[in-house]
Amino acid sequence: MNDLGGSGSRALRRTRLAAASAAALTVAAGLGVRAVFGGDFAKCAGDALYTVLLYALLVLAAPRLRPGRAAAVAAALSWAVELFQLTGLPDAWGRHSTLARLVLGSTFNPPDLLWYLVGAGCAGVLHRVLRTSRVAAPGGAV
């Protein structure tokens, strides 16, 4: 059945808009935390927000993705990037590209793996709460 322009299509557009807004807010939060706090707090928050950003981008690309699956994929991608740092390639590339340094980081740091899980968990819980509240609202769609 084709649902072009129907309520399912509107729900997907709303989800994508919310995910795009979340991505923009996450970038702003990351920049703000670095500017205001610095130090270990900013580092840990930045790691968690990195995964929150990946989560938001995943939902933007695949709005039907359920919170648990999105959290698992975002955490796995974050871990993959962190483990890739063990090769030394991200550090070498980051010396020549600010974008590479921002996306891939530079050196492996085991505690980052924990903070990626924190970010994925927080994003997943928030997503689930928002989905549940939308379904509970009259006329709400998932």
Side-chain angles (χ1 to χ4, degrees), residues 10-50:
R10 280 192 300 268
L12 290 178
R13 281 195 300 272
R14 274 195 314 269
T15 299
R16 282 196 167 108
L17 178 61
S21 299
L25 286 171
T26 301
V27 170
L31 294 171
V33 165
R34 286 282 184 177
V36 173
F37 294 101
D40 287 340
F41 178 79
K43 169 87 173 85
C44 296
D47 291 338
L49 288 169
Y50 178 87

Side-chain angles (χ1 to χ4, degrees), residues 35-108:
V36 173
F37 294 101
D40 287 340
F41 178 79
K43 169 87 173 85
C44 296
D47 291 338
L49 288 169
Y50 178 87
T51 304
V52 172
L53 177 60
L54 286 176
Y55 187 106
L57 294 174
L58 283 167
V59 174
L60 179 64
R64 289 188 172 106
L65 202 56
R66 295 199 179 274
R69 172 85 36 107
V73 172
L77 288 171
S78 297
W79 275 45
V81 169
E82 189 69 27
L83 294 172
F84 183 53
Q85 292 171 356
L86 289 169
T87 68
L89 291 173
D91 187 41
W93 295 342
R95 288 186 218 142
H96 304 288
S97 167
T98 302
L99 181 61
R101 182 172 286 290
L102 288 172
V103 173
L104 300 175
S106 59
T107 55
F108 178 75

